[in-house]
Amino acid sequence: KQEVTQIPAALSVPEGENLVLNCSFTDSAIYNLQWFRQDPGKGLTSLLLIQSSQREQTSGRLNASLDKSSGRSTLYIAASQPGDSATYLCAVRFINQAGTALIFGKGTTLSVSS
Amino acid sequence: GAVVSQHPSRVICKSGTSVKIECRSLDFQATTMFWYRQFPKQSLMLMATSNEGSKATYEQGVEKDKFLINHASLTLSTLTVTSAHPEDSSFYICSVPTSGGTNEQFFGPGTRLTVL
């Protein structure tokens, strides 16, 4: 069964800290991996998309890496700000014949204090 | 990327009633749309794949007669929760996968359903 796991489930840091969120997946035969941000009661905002052939993607203070062989991805947030407080979801599109649906982790809820 | 809207954003209904949720792809013609469900403190779980012009494909454990999906056009998919019960209370969210090189998925803002 294809599963996505995120560690930690929750994280609290003071403003300005650099932090790493972890995502692991059970099947290395992935098509791509997306990191999303979800604010309470809201929909999803796509942060970064990494194709299976890529090793990392960067957008502003965010950097996502992908190691297919070990089944891991990390989201690095530099110089965290209170506005970064949200739940961060990792989602994987596994190669299959059923379509392009994503399998999500449960997320890491980040709280950045000022 | 694709811009996806959902309506309504929030609905409260009595047990036994039916609720229709619309998902619109505003700037992208989508032959496929996905419907997910998210219970509190849980992950998003795929419910079904909506296919334009054909029947939806449901994930294991999702009742097709309870969650009716109609993909009427390349820009609209609807999810109808029939005879809703309190256990159907959840956050329902749709997504549109774009074709081409990235195959990125774009999500609607979601619909919060509360069944009393």
Side-chain angles (χ1 to χ4, degrees), chain A residues 38 41-43, chain B residues 6-11 19 21-23 34-39 44-45 47 62 66-67 79-82 84-95 107-115:
Chain A
Q38 185 176 30
K42 303 293 185 181
Chain B
Q6 276 185 245
H7 178 78
S9 59
R10 185 180 298 269
V11 58
V19 175
I21 303 170
E22 294 185 349
C23 175
F34 297 106
W35 286 97
Y36 294 82
R37 178 169 57 183
Q38 184 181 34
F39 291 108
L44 276 77
M45 297 295 292
M47 296 178 64
V62 178
K66 180 171 182 63
F67 298 99
L79 168 67
T80 300
V81 184
T82 62
H85 288 92
E87 58 265 30
D88 298 322
S89 298
S90 186
F91 187 64
Y92 293 84
I93 189 166
C94 67
S95 76
F107 285 77
T111 297
R112 173 73 59 189
L113 171 64
T114 302
V115 184

mmCIF file of all heavy atoms in Angstrom, chain A residues 38 41-43, chain B residues 6-11 19 21-23 34-39 44-45 47 62 66-67 79-82 84-95 107-115:
data_model
loop_
_atom_site.group_PDB
_atom_site.id
_atom_site.type_symbol
_atom_site.label_atom_id
_atom_site.label_comp_id
_atom_site.label_asym_id
_atom_site.label_seq_id
_atom_site.Cartn_x
_atom_site.Cartn_y
_atom_site.Cartn_z
ATOM 1 N N GLN A 38 -1.717 24.704 4.000
ATOM 2 C CA GLN A 38 -3.148 24.810 4.285
ATOM 3 C C GLN A 38 -3.352 25.619 5.549
ATOM 4 O O GLN A 38 -2.879 25.250 6.619
ATOM 5 C CB GLN A 38 -3.787 23.419 4.449
ATOM 6 C CG GLN A 38 -5.299 23.478 4.629
ATOM 7 C CD GLN A 38 -5.941 22.112 4.706
ATOM 8 O OE1 GLN A 38 -5.337 21.141 5.156
ATOM 9 N NE2 GLN A 38 -7.193 22.009 4.249
ATOM 10 N N GLY A 41 -9.138 25.838 8.087
ATOM 11 C CA GLY A 41 -10.428 25.974 7.426
ATOM 12 C C GLY A 41 -10.360 26.401 5.981
ATOM 13 O O GLY A 41 -11.396 26.719 5.378
ATOM 14 N N LYS A 42 -9.184 26.399 5.409
ATOM 15 C CA LYS A 42 -9.011 26.872 4.035
ATOM 16 C C LYS A 42 -8.569 25.745 3.112
ATOM 17 O O LYS A 42 -8.301 24.625 3.534
ATOM 18 C CB LYS A 42 -7.963 27.998 4.009
ATOM 19 C CG LYS A 42 -8.284 29.172 4.907
ATOM 20 C CD LYS A 42 -9.499 29.925 4.432
ATOM 21 C CE LYS A 42 -9.729 31.163 5.283
ATOM 22 N NZ LYS A 42 -10.949 31.900 4.846
ATOM 23 N N GLY A 43 -8.497 26.081 1.832
ATOM 24 C CA GLY A 43 -8.039 25.125 0.843
ATOM 25 C C GLY A 43 -6.520 25.026 0.820
ATOM 26 O O GLY A 43 -5.837 25.452 1.740
ATOM 27 N N GLN B 6 -14.935 26.677 -5.826
ATOM 28 C CA GLN B 6 -15.931 25.764 -5.272
ATOM 29 C C GLN B 6 -17.071 26.559 -4.676
ATOM 30 O O GLN B 6 -16.877 27.640 -4.113
ATOM 31 C CB GLN B 6 -15.325 24.875 -4.167
ATOM 32 C CG GLN B 6 -14.613 23.649 -4.678
ATOM 33 C CD GLN B 6 -14.129 22.749 -3.564
ATOM 34 O OE1 GLN B 6 -12.917 22.581 -3.400
ATOM 35 N NE2 GLN B 6 -15.053 22.167 -2.812
ATOM 36 N N HIS B 7 -18.258 25.976 -4.789
ATOM 37 C CA HIS B 7 -19.422 26.631 -4.217
ATOM 38 C C HIS B 7 -20.387 25.592 -3.683
ATOM 39 O O HIS B 7 -20.641 24.591 -4.377
ATOM 40 C CB HIS B 7 -20.141 27.475 -5.284
ATOM 41 C CG HIS B 7 -21.367 28.149 -4.777
ATOM 42 N ND1 HIS B 7 -21.368 29.292 -4.018
ATOM 43 C CD2 HIS B 7 -22.680 27.779 -4.875
ATOM 44 C CE1 HIS B 7 -22.581 29.634 -3.706
ATOM 45 N NE2 HIS B 7 -23.409 28.740 -4.211
ATOM 46 N N PRO B 8 -20.927 25.725 -2.488
ATOM 47 C CA PRO B 8 -20.659 26.836 -1.560
ATOM 48 C C PRO B 8 -19.362 26.599 -0.785
ATOM 49 O O PRO B 8 -18.794 25.523 -0.842
ATOM 50 C CB PRO B 8 -21.877 26.776 -0.628
ATOM 51 C CG PRO B 8 -22.212 25.313 -0.596
ATOM 52 C CD PRO B 8 -21.930 24.792 -1.977
ATOM 53 N N SER B 9 -18.930 27.593 -0.062
ATOM 54 C CA SER B 9 -17.735 27.432 0.757
ATOM 55 C C SER B 9 -18.081 26.779 2.094
ATOM 56 O O SER B 9 -17.244 26.126 2.711
ATOM 57 C CB SER B 9 -17.079 28.784 1.010
ATOM 58 O OG SER B 9 -17.991 29.654 1.667
ATOM 59 N N ARG B 10 -19.325 26.962 2.497
ATOM 60 C CA ARG B 10 -19.754 26.405 3.778
ATOM 61 C C ARG B 10 -21.250 26.093 3.699
ATOM 62 O O ARG B 10 -22.012 26.884 3.142
ATOM 63 C CB ARG B 10 -19.501 27.405 4.901
ATOM 64 C CG ARG B 10 -19.791 26.913 6.287
ATOM 65 C CD ARG B 10 -19.497 28.005 7.313
ATOM 66 N NE ARG B 10 -18.087 28.372 7.297
ATOM 67 C CZ ARG B 10 -17.165 27.807 8.064
ATOM 68 N NH1 ARG B 10 -17.495 26.845 8.898
ATOM 69 N NH2 ARG B 10 -15.914 28.218 8.006
ATOM 70 N N VAL B 11 -21.630 24.948 4.214
ATOM 71 C CA VAL B 11 -23.057 24.598 4.216
ATOM 72 C C VAL B 11 -23.392 23.828 5.482
ATOM 73 O O VAL B 11 -22.626 22.956 5.901
ATOM 74 C CB VAL B 11 -23.440 23.794 2.945
ATOM 75 C CG1 VAL B 11 -22.620 22.527 2.818
ATOM 76 C CG2 VAL B 11 -24.910 23.489 2.907
ATOM 77 N N VAL B 19 -27.057 17.590 -0.462
ATOM 78 C CA VAL B 19 -26.263 18.809 -0.642
ATOM 79 C C VAL B 19 -25.434 18.677 -1.910
ATOM 80 O O VAL B 19 -24.765 17.656 -2.117
ATOM 81 C CB VAL B 19 -25.316 19.031 0.557
ATOM 82 C CG1 VAL B 19 -24.412 20.229 0.312
ATOM 83 C CG2 VAL B 19 -26.118 19.206 1.842
ATOM 84 N N ILE B 21 -22.356 20.209 -4.213
ATOM 85 C CA ILE B 21 -21.153 21.037 -4.187
ATOM 86 C C ILE B 21 -20.621 21.149 -5.605
ATOM 87 O O ILE B 21 -20.477 20.133 -6.293
ATOM 88 C CB ILE B 21 -20.074 20.423 -3.275
ATOM 89 C CG1 ILE B 21 -20.619 20.235 -1.851
ATOM 90 C CG2 ILE B 21 -18.828 21.295 -3.256
ATOM 91 C CD1 ILE B 21 -19.706 19.424 -0.958
ATOM 92 N N GLU B 22 -20.330 22.368 -6.036
ATOM 93 C CA GLU B 22 -19.826 22.592 -7.380
ATOM 94 C C GLU B 22 -18.330 22.875 -7.374
ATOM 95 O O GLU B 22 -17.829 23.579 -6.497
ATOM 96 C CB GLU B 22 -20.542 23.774 -8.032
ATOM 97 C CG GLU B 22 -22.007 23.553 -8.302
ATOM 98 C CD GLU B 22 -22.621 24.720 -9.049
ATOM 99 O OE1 GLU B 22 -21.955 25.770 -9.154
ATOM 100 O OE2 GLU B 22 -23.765 24.569 -9.530
ATOM 101 N N CYS B 23 -17.660 22.336 -8.365
ATOM 102 C CA CYS B 23 -16.232 22.600 -8.560
ATOM 103 C C CYS B 23 -16.059 23.099 -9.988
ATOM 104 O O CYS B 23 -16.442 22.404 -10.939
ATOM 105 C CB CYS B 23 -15.426 21.326 -8.337
ATOM 106 S SG CYS B 23 -13.656 21.502 -8.685
ATOM 107 N N PHE B 34 -10.677 15.692 -9.438
ATOM 108 C CA PHE B 34 -10.640 14.798 -8.288
ATOM 109 C C PHE B 34 -11.413 15.401 -7.123
ATOM 110 O O PHE B 34 -11.389 16.606 -6.894
ATOM 111 C CB PHE B 34 -9.196 14.532 -7.849
ATOM 112 C CG PHE B 34 -8.367 13.833 -8.879
ATOM 113 C CD1 PHE B 34 -7.405 14.517 -9.601
ATOM 114 C CD2 PHE B 34 -8.540 12.478 -9.122
ATOM 115 C CE1 PHE B 34 -6.642 13.872 -10.553
ATOM 116 C CE2 PHE B 34 -7.778 11.824 -10.080
ATOM 117 C CZ PHE B 34 -6.828 12.519 -10.792
ATOM 118 N N TRP B 35 -12.084 14.533 -6.388
ATOM 119 C CA TRP B 35 -12.766 14.941 -5.158
ATOM 120 C C TRP B 35 -12.092 14.268 -3.979
ATOM 121 O O TRP B 35 -11.945 13.049 -3.940
ATOM 122 C CB TRP B 35 -14.246 14.564 -5.197
ATOM 123 C CG TRP B 35 -15.055 15.433 -6.107
ATOM 124 C CD1 TRP B 35 -15.411 15.175 -7.392
ATOM 125 C CD2 TRP B 35 -15.600 16.717 -5.792
ATOM 126 N NE1 TRP B 35 -16.142 16.225 -7.899
ATOM 127 C CE2 TRP B 35 -16.279 17.175 -6.941
ATOM 128 C CE3 TRP B 35 -15.602 17.527 -4.647
ATOM 129 C CZ2 TRP B 35 -16.940 18.402 -6.988
ATOM 130 C CZ3 TRP B 35 -16.255 18.740 -4.695
ATOM 131 C CH2 TRP B 35 -16.921 19.177 -5.853
ATOM 132 N N TYR B 36 -11.711 15.111 -3.011
ATOM 133 C CA TYR B 36 -11.078 14.635 -1.790
ATOM 134 C C TYR B 36 -11.961 14.996 -0.604
ATOM 135 O O TYR B 36 -12.783 15.909 -0.657
ATOM 136 C CB TYR B 36 -9.708 15.282 -1.585
ATOM 137 C CG TYR B 36 -8.639 14.922 -2.604
ATOM 138 C CD1 TYR B 36 -8.576 15.572 -3.833
ATOM 139 C CD2 TYR B 36 -7.676 13.958 -2.324
ATOM 140 C CE1 TYR B 36 -7.596 15.264 -4.759
ATOM 141 C CE2 TYR B 36 -6.682 13.647 -3.242
ATOM 142 C CZ TYR B 36 -6.646 14.315 -4.454
ATOM 143 O OH TYR B 36 -5.659 14.010 -5.362
ATOM 144 N N ARG B 37 -11.705 14.307 0.496
ATOM 145 C CA ARG B 37 -12.420 14.587 1.738
ATOM 146 C C ARG B 37 -11.390 14.636 2.856
ATOM 147 O O ARG B 37 -10.438 13.846 2.873
ATOM 148 C CB ARG B 37 -13.455 13.478 1.995
ATOM 149 C CG ARG B 37 -14.248 13.614 3.284
ATOM 150 C CD ARG B 37 -15.403 12.626 3.296
ATOM 151 N NE ARG B 37 -14.996 11.251 3.123
ATOM 152 C CZ ARG B 37 -15.846 10.231 3.053
ATOM 153 N NH1 ARG B 37 -17.152 10.439 3.132
ATOM 154 N NH2 ARG B 37 -15.398 9.003 2.903
ATOM 155 N N GLN B 38 -11.593 15.565 3.780
ATOM 156 C CA GLN B 38 -10.653 15.707 4.882
ATOM 157 C C GLN B 38 -11.417 15.822 6.188
ATOM 158 O O GLN B 38 -12.141 16.801 6.411
ATOM 159 C CB GLN B 38 -9.767 16.943 4.694
ATOM 160 C CG GLN B 38 -8.690 17.104 5.756
ATOM 161 C CD GLN B 38 -7.856 18.361 5.538
ATOM 162 O OE1 GLN B 38 -8.352 19.379 5.066
ATOM 163 N NE2 GLN B 38 -6.575 18.284 5.875
ATOM 164 N N PHE B 39 -11.255 14.832 7.060
ATOM 165 C CA PHE B 39 -11.844 14.883 8.389
ATOM 166 C C PHE B 39 -10.877 15.632 9.301
ATOM 167 O O PHE B 39 -9.673 15.714 9.010
ATOM 168 C CB PHE B 39 -12.133 13.474 8.897
ATOM 169 C CG PHE B 39 -13.247 12.793 8.148
ATOM 170 C CD1 PHE B 39 -12.969 11.753 7.270
ATOM 171 C CD2 PHE B 39 -14.565 13.184 8.303
ATOM 172 C CE1 PHE B 39 -13.994 11.119 6.566
ATOM 173 C CE2 PHE B 39 -15.590 12.567 7.604
ATOM 174 C CZ PHE B 39 -15.294 11.534 6.726
ATOM 175 N N LEU B 44 -5.979 14.474 3.662
ATOM 176 C CA LEU B 44 -6.932 14.454 2.555
ATOM 177 C C LEU B 44 -6.962 13.049 1.970
ATOM 178 O O LEU B 44 -5.915 12.451 1.712
ATOM 179 C CB LEU B 44 -6.526 15.437 1.447
ATOM 180 C CG LEU B 44 -6.944 16.882 1.603
ATOM 181 C CD1 LEU B 44 -6.052 17.587 2.609
ATOM 182 C CD2 LEU B 44 -6.891 17.599 0.268
ATOM 183 N N MET B 45 -8.161 12.570 1.747
ATOM 184 C CA MET B 45 -8.313 11.243 1.168
ATOM 185 C C MET B 45 -9.099 11.351 -0.125
ATOM 186 O O MET B 45 -10.163 11.987 -0.162
ATOM 187 C CB MET B 45 -9.049 10.311 2.137
ATOM 188 C CG MET B 45 -8.302 10.057 3.438
ATOM 189 S SD MET B 45 -6.758 9.157 3.190
ATOM 190 C CE MET B 45 -7.399 7.568 2.678
ATOM 191 N N MET B 47 -11.659 10.597 -2.795
ATOM 192 C CA MET B 47 -12.959 9.924 -2.806
ATOM 193 C C MET B 47 -13.240 9.320 -4.173
ATOM 194 O O MET B 47 -13.651 8.167 -4.284
ATOM 195 C CB MET B 47 -14.075 10.916 -2.477
ATOM 196 C CG MET B 47 -14.034 11.517 -1.099
ATOM 197 S SD MET B 47 -15.371 12.699 -0.909
ATOM 198 C CE MET B 47 -16.801 11.654 -1.049
ATOM 199 N N VAL B 62 -15.979 4.118 -0.722
ATOM 200 C CA VAL B 62 -16.812 5.296 -0.986
ATOM 201 C C VAL B 62 -18.052 4.854 -1.740
ATOM 202 O O VAL B 62 -17.953 4.241 -2.812
ATOM 203 C CB VAL B 62 -16.041 6.347 -1.806
ATOM 204 C CG1 VAL B 62 -16.939 7.552 -2.112
ATOM 205 C CG2 VAL B 62 -14.796 6.798 -1.063
ATOM 206 N N LYS B 66 -24.268 7.234 -2.734
ATOM 207 C CA LYS B 66 -24.413 8.286 -1.730
ATOM 208 C C LYS B 66 -23.712 9.571 -2.195
ATOM 209 O O LYS B 66 -24.196 10.670 -1.942
ATOM 210 C CB LYS B 66 -23.800 7.836 -0.410
ATOM 211 C CG LYS B 66 -23.925 8.885 0.686
ATOM 212 C CD LYS B 66 -23.519 8.341 2.033
ATOM 213 C CE LYS B 66 -23.713 9.398 3.096
ATOM 214 N NZ LYS B 66 -25.127 9.792 3.233
ATOM 215 N N PHE B 67 -22.613 9.407 -2.845
ATOM 216 C CA PHE B 67 -21.847 10.555 -3.326
ATOM 217 C C PHE B 67 -21.919 10.562 -4.857
ATOM 218 O O PHE B 67 -21.097 9.944 -5.537
ATOM 219 C CB PHE B 67 -20.399 10.469 -2.845
ATOM 220 C CG PHE B 67 -20.256 10.494 -1.350
ATOM 221 C CD1 PHE B 67 -20.091 9.313 -0.644
ATOM 222 C CD2 PHE B 67 -20.300 11.686 -0.656
ATOM 223 C CE1 PHE B 67 -19.971 9.321 0.743
ATOM 224 C CE2 PHE B 67 -20.168 11.720 0.726
ATOM 225 C CZ PHE B 67 -20.003 10.536 1.428
ATOM 226 N N LEU B 79 -20.533 17.373 -6.929
ATOM 227 C CA LEU B 79 -20.602 16.271 -5.971
ATOM 228 C C LEU B 79 -21.871 16.480 -5.151
ATOM 229 O O LEU B 79 -22.040 17.525 -4.519
ATOM 230 C CB LEU B 79 -19.383 16.280 -5.052
ATOM 231 C CG LEU B 79 -19.434 15.367 -3.827
ATOM 232 C CD1 LEU B 79 -19.424 13.900 -4.250
ATOM 233 C CD2 LEU B 79 -18.260 15.647 -2.885
ATOM 234 N N THR B 80 -22.762 15.510 -5.185
ATOM 235 C CA THR B 80 -23.986 15.597 -4.398
ATOM 236 C C THR B 80 -23.936 14.555 -3.292
ATOM 237 O O THR B 80 -23.805 13.359 -3.574
ATOM 238 C CB THR B 80 -25.231 15.363 -5.269
ATOM 239 O OG1 THR B 80 -25.275 16.344 -6.298
ATOM 240 C CG2 THR B 80 -26.502 15.466 -4.423
ATOM 241 N N VAL B 81 -24.002 15.034 -2.069
ATOM 242 C CA VAL B 81 -24.070 14.139 -0.917
ATOM 243 C C VAL B 81 -25.550 13.881 -0.650
ATOM 244 O O VAL B 81 -26.281 14.790 -0.239
ATOM 245 C CB VAL B 81 -23.403 14.764 0.323
ATOM 246 C CG1 VAL B 81 -23.411 13.775 1.481
ATOM 247 C CG2 VAL B 81 -21.983 15.207 -0.004
ATOM 248 N N THR B 82 -25.992 12.671 -0.928
ATOM 249 C CA THR B 82 -27.415 12.359 -0.788
ATOM 250 C C THR B 82 -27.721 11.847 0.614
ATOM 251 O O THR B 82 -26.900 11.154 1.228
ATOM 252 C CB THR B 82 -27.842 11.310 -1.810
ATOM 253 O OG1 THR B 82 -27.104 10.103 -1.560
ATOM 254 C CG2 THR B 82 -27.552 11.773 -3.226
ATOM 255 N N ALA B 84 -27.705 13.171 3.593
ATOM 256 C CA ALA B 84 -26.527 13.401 4.429
ATOM 257 C C ALA B 84 -26.793 13.080 5.896
ATOM 258 O O ALA B 84 -27.898 13.294 6.410
ATOM 259 C CB ALA B 84 -26.078 14.848 4.286
ATOM 260 N N HIS B 85 -25.775 12.563 6.557
ATOM 261 C CA HIS B 85 -25.833 12.256 7.984
ATOM 262 C C HIS B 85 -24.664 12.938 8.685
ATOM 263 O O HIS B 85 -23.686 13.336 8.040
ATOM 264 C CB HIS B 85 -25.808 10.748 8.196
ATOM 265 C CG HIS B 85 -27.072 10.072 7.795
ATOM 266 N ND1 HIS B 85 -27.269 9.561 6.537
ATOM 267 C CD2 HIS B 85 -28.219 9.852 8.474
ATOM 268 C CE1 HIS B 85 -28.483 9.037 6.458
ATOM 269 N NE2 HIS B 85 -29.078 9.204 7.609
ATOM 270 N N PRO B 86 -24.746 13.068 10.001
ATOM 271 C CA PRO B 86 -23.667 13.769 10.722
ATOM 272 C C PRO B 86 -22.272 13.229 10.427
ATOM 273 O O PRO B 86 -21.303 14.002 10.394
ATOM 274 C CB PRO B 86 -24.061 13.554 12.188
ATOM 275 C CG PRO B 86 -25.552 13.510 12.155
ATOM 276 C CD PRO B 86 -25.878 12.764 10.880
ATOM 277 N N GLU B 87 -22.153 11.936 10.177
ATOM 278 C CA GLU B 87 -20.831 11.381 9.886
ATOM 279 C C GLU B 87 -20.277 11.809 8.535
ATOM 280 O O GLU B 87 -19.099 11.566 8.240
ATOM 281 C CB GLU B 87 -20.859 9.845 9.958
ATOM 282 C CG GLU B 87 -21.848 9.182 9.031
ATOM 283 C CD GLU B 87 -23.175 8.877 9.723
ATOM 284 O OE1 GLU B 87 -23.556 9.633 10.650
ATOM 285 O OE2 GLU B 87 -23.828 7.892 9.313
ATOM 286 N N ASP B 88 -21.140 12.436 7.718
ATOM 287 C CA ASP B 88 -20.672 12.980 6.439
ATOM 288 C C ASP B 88 -20.080 14.378 6.600
ATOM 289 O O ASP B 88 -19.536 14.944 5.639
ATOM 290 C CB ASP B 88 -21.824 13.042 5.429
ATOM 291 C CG ASP B 88 -22.397 11.678 5.113
ATOM 292 O OD1 ASP B 88 -21.603 10.707 5.026
ATOM 293 O OD2 ASP B 88 -23.634 11.573 4.955
ATOM 294 N N SER B 89 -20.208 14.944 7.781
ATOM 295 C CA SER B 89 -19.634 16.269 8.033
ATOM 296 C C SER B 89 -18.131 16.210 7.818
ATOM 297 O O SER B 89 -17.426 15.405 8.429
ATOM 298 C CB SER B 89 -19.953 16.709 9.469
ATOM 299 O OG SER B 89 -21.344 16.816 9.675
ATOM 300 N N SER B 90 -17.659 17.062 6.951
ATOM 301 C CA SER B 90 -16.242 17.009 6.577
ATOM 302 C C SER B 90 -15.914 18.211 5.705
ATOM 303 O O SER B 90 -16.776 19.040 5.408
ATOM 304 C CB SER B 90 -15.956 15.707 5.817
ATOM 305 O OG SER B 90 -14.577 15.553 5.564
ATOM 306 N N PHE B 91 -14.661 18.276 5.312
ATOM 307 C CA PHE B 91 -14.193 19.305 4.385
ATOM 308 C C PHE B 91 -14.004 18.625 3.034
ATOM 309 O O PHE B 91 -13.211 17.695 2.907
ATOM 310 C CB PHE B 91 -12.879 19.884 4.910
ATOM 311 C CG PHE B 91 -12.359 21.068 4.161
ATOM 312 C CD1 PHE B 91 -13.066 22.248 4.144
ATOM 313 C CD2 PHE B 91 -11.146 21.019 3.503
ATOM 314 C CE1 PHE B 91 -12.591 23.365 3.471
ATOM 315 C CE2 PHE B 91 -10.659 22.126 2.823
ATOM 316 C CZ PHE B 91 -11.373 23.295 2.803
ATOM 317 N N TYR B 92 -14.769 19.070 2.051
ATOM 318 C CA TYR B 92 -14.704 18.462 0.721
ATOM 319 C C TYR B 92 -13.963 19.423 -0.205
ATOM 320 O O TYR B 92 -14.282 20.610 -0.276
ATOM 321 C CB TYR B 92 -16.114 18.190 0.183
ATOM 322 C CG TYR B 92 -16.841 17.124 0.968
ATOM 323 C CD1 TYR B 92 -17.533 17.440 2.138
ATOM 324 C CD2 TYR B 92 -16.809 15.790 0.570
ATOM 325 C CE1 TYR B 92 -18.181 16.462 2.877
ATOM 326 C CE2 TYR B 92 -17.452 14.811 1.302
ATOM 327 C CZ TYR B 92 -18.133 15.155 2.456
ATOM 328 O OH TYR B 92 -18.762 14.170 3.181
ATOM 329 N N ILE B 93 -13.005 18.880 -0.915
ATOM 330 C CA ILE B 93 -12.169 19.742 -1.751
ATOM 331 C C ILE B 93 -11.904 19.058 -3.092
ATOM 332 O O ILE B 93 -11.696 17.847 -3.147
ATOM 333 C CB ILE B 93 -10.857 20.083 -1.015
ATOM 334 C CG1 ILE B 93 -10.056 21.145 -1.743
ATOM 335 C CG2 ILE B 93 -10.023 18.856 -0.736
ATOM 336 C CD1 ILE B 93 -8.954 21.749 -0.888
ATOM 337 N N CYS B 94 -11.949 19.830 -4.146
ATOM 338 C CA CYS B 94 -11.730 19.259 -5.470
ATOM 339 C C CYS B 94 -10.391 19.745 -6.018
ATOM 340 O O CYS B 94 -9.834 20.756 -5.561
ATOM 341 C CB CYS B 94 -12.856 19.638 -6.429
ATOM 342 S SG CYS B 94 -12.922 21.389 -6.848
ATOM 343 N N SER B 95 -9.896 19.028 -6.991
ATOM 344 C CA SER B 95 -8.651 19.445 -7.626
ATOM 345 C C SER B 95 -8.709 19.206 -9.124
ATOM 346 O O SER B 95 -9.452 18.343 -9.609
ATOM 347 C CB SER B 95 -7.443 18.711 -7.036
ATOM 348 O OG SER B 95 -7.369 17.386 -7.517
ATOM 349 N N PHE B 107 -5.947 23.066 -6.456
ATOM 350 C CA PHE B 107 -7.084 22.756 -5.602
ATOM 351 C C PHE B 107 -8.036 23.934 -5.463
ATOM 352 O O PHE B 107 -7.630 25.101 -5.479
ATOM 353 C CB PHE B 107 -6.593 22.335 -4.213
ATOM 354 C CG PHE B 107 -6.023 20.945 -4.199
ATOM 355 C CD1 PHE B 107 -4.765 20.681 -4.695
ATOM 356 C CD2 PHE B 107 -6.782 19.890 -3.706
ATOM 357 C CE1 PHE B 107 -4.254 19.388 -4.698
ATOM 358 C CE2 PHE B 107 -6.278 18.590 -3.701
ATOM 359 C CZ PHE B 107 -5.011 18.342 -4.197
ATOM 360 N N GLY B 108 -9.307 23.583 -5.304
ATOM 361 C CA GLY B 108 -10.288 24.583 -4.967
ATOM 362 C C GLY B 108 -10.160 24.967 -3.508
ATOM 363 O O GLY B 108 -9.395 24.352 -2.763
ATOM 364 N N PRO B 109 -10.936 25.957 -3.068
ATOM 365 C CA PRO B 109 -10.851 26.433 -1.681
ATOM 366 C C PRO B 109 -11.554 25.530 -0.691
ATOM 367 O O PRO B 109 -11.419 25.726 0.519
ATOM 368 C CB PRO B 109 -11.524 27.802 -1.753
ATOM 369 C CG PRO B 109 -12.462 27.693 -2.898
ATOM 370 C CD PRO B 109 -11.794 26.799 -3.895
ATOM 371 N N GLY B 110 -12.296 24.551 -1.182
ATOM 372 C CA GLY B 110 -12.937 23.611 -0.283
ATOM 373 C C GLY B 110 -14.330 24.021 0.153
ATOM 374 O O GLY B 110 -14.711 25.202 0.078
ATOM 375 N N THR B 111 -15.092 23.042 0.600
ATOM 376 C CA THR B 111 -16.447 23.255 1.121
ATOM 377 C C THR B 111 -16.563 22.558 2.469
ATOM 378 O O THR B 111 -16.313 21.353 2.571
ATOM 379 C CB THR B 111 -17.506 22.670 0.165
ATOM 380 O OG1 THR B 111 -17.449 23.355 -1.086
ATOM 381 C CG2 THR B 111 -18.905 22.807 0.766
ATOM 382 N N ARG B 112 -16.925 23.324 3.463
ATOM 383 C CA ARG B 112 -17.116 22.759 4.803
ATOM 384 C C ARG B 112 -18.571 22.355 4.964
ATOM 385 O O ARG B 112 -19.460 23.196 4.951
ATOM 386 C CB ARG B 112 -16.744 23.788 5.873
ATOM 387 C CG ARG B 112 -17.060 23.362 7.301
ATOM 388 C CD ARG B 112 -16.111 22.308 7.790
ATOM 389 N NE ARG B 112 -14.718 22.747 7.758
ATOM 390 C CZ ARG B 112 -13.680 21.946 7.972
ATOM 391 N NH1 ARG B 112 -13.890 20.662 8.216
ATOM 392 N NH2 ARG B 112 -12.466 22.419 7.934
ATOM 393 N N LEU B 113 -18.817 21.064 5.085
ATOM 394 C CA LEU B 113 -20.178 20.542 5.256
ATOM 395 C C LEU B 113 -20.398 20.141 6.705
ATOM 396 O O LEU B 113 -19.608 19.347 7.250
ATOM 397 C CB LEU B 113 -20.421 19.344 4.341
ATOM 398 C CG LEU B 113 -21.723 18.564 4.570
ATOM 399 C CD1 LEU B 113 -22.931 19.449 4.276
ATOM 400 C CD2 LEU B 113 -21.760 17.310 3.700
ATOM 401 N N THR B 114 -21.444 20.670 7.283
ATOM 402 C CA THR B 114 -21.840 20.291 8.631
ATOM 403 C C THR B 114 -23.265 19.777 8.583
ATOM 404 O O THR B 114 -24.172 20.484 8.140
ATOM 405 C CB THR B 114 -21.758 21.487 9.598
ATOM 406 O OG1 THR B 114 -20.428 21.994 9.603
ATOM 407 C CG2 THR B 114 -22.136 21.063 11.015
ATOM 408 N N VAL B 115 -23.448 18.543 8.996
ATOM 409 C CA VAL B 115 -24.775 17.930 8.989
ATOM 410 C C VAL B 115 -25.243 17.806 10.439
ATOM 411 O O VAL B 115 -24.571 17.172 11.254
ATOM 412 C CB VAL B 115 -24.753 16.550 8.308
ATOM 413 C CG1 VAL B 115 -26.175 15.990 8.219
ATOM 414 C CG2 VAL B 115 -24.131 16.644 6.929
#
